[in-house]
């Protein structure tokens, strides 16, 4: 069981209120979406810290994390009409993760994101 208490007026509180009170999502699905987003980013780091996963397993987890993060970034770009960033993220969409390709994509994403600010 996981629970997290936060001030409802804080940024984290506002996000979880949105997820749990969204009329388009059942309450548990909203909570799950919040946990899935946390899981997508932190999973490979947590397993690496435990020291019980092989390098191959960690790389697979990292690839799965990048896929989930790329999906979230594309969703955000589409929702907020940030096409330049969405175009940069498209290089991640085919999920080619050889080291040179993915580092180039991440640099492109970071560069475009900074230009959008």
């Amino acid at each position: 069981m996981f629970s997290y208490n936060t001030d409802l007026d804080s940024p984290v509180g506002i996000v979880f209120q949105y997820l749990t009170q969204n009329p388009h999502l059942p309450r548990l699905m909203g909570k799950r979406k919040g946990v899935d987003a946390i899981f997508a980013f932190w999973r490979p780091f947590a397993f690496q810290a435990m020291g019980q996963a092989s390098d191959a397993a960690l790389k697979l987890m990292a690839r799965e994390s990048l896929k989930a993060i790329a999906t979230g970034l594309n969703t955000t770009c589409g929702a907020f009409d940030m096409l330049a960033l969405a175009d940069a993220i498209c290089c991640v969409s085919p999920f080619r993760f050889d080291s040179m390709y993915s580092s180039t994509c991440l640099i492109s994403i970071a560069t475009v994101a900074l230009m959008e600010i």
Side-chain angles (χ1 to χ4, degrees), residues 7-114:
D7 180 12
L8 294 179
D9 294 329
S10 73
V12 172
I14 291 168
V15 169
F16 274 96
Q17 282 185 78
Y18 166 77
L19 289 171
T20 59
Q21 296 174 11
N22 186 330
H24 302 288
L25 297 172
R27 183 175 174 88
L28 289 177
M29 184 184 290
K31 285 182 182 181
R32 182 65 199 194
K33 285 188 174 290
V35 171
D36 286 348
I38 294 167
F39 179 81
F41 183 82
W42 290 108
R43 180 180 177 218
F45 296 104
F47 278 83
Q48 182 183 46
M50 289 183 60
Q52 296 178 359
S54 68
D55 285 344
L58 290 171
K59 286 183 183 195
L60 179 60
M61 285 182 221
R63 286 185 178 102
E64 290 169 352
S65 291
L66 289 172
K67 288 178 188 179
I69 292 166
T71 299
L73 290 172
N74 276 319
T75 300
T76 302
C77 288
F80 296 97
D81 199 24
M82 298 175 69
L83 298 179
L85 183 56
D87 290 342
I89 293 168
C90 284
C91 68
V92 178
S93 295
F95 304 124
R96 284 188 48 206
F97 287 103
D98 56 75
S99 61
M100 188 165 79
Y101 187 82
S102 61
S103 63
T104 302
C105 287
L106 295 175
I107 291 168
S108 297
I109 292 167
T111 302
V112 175
L114 290 173

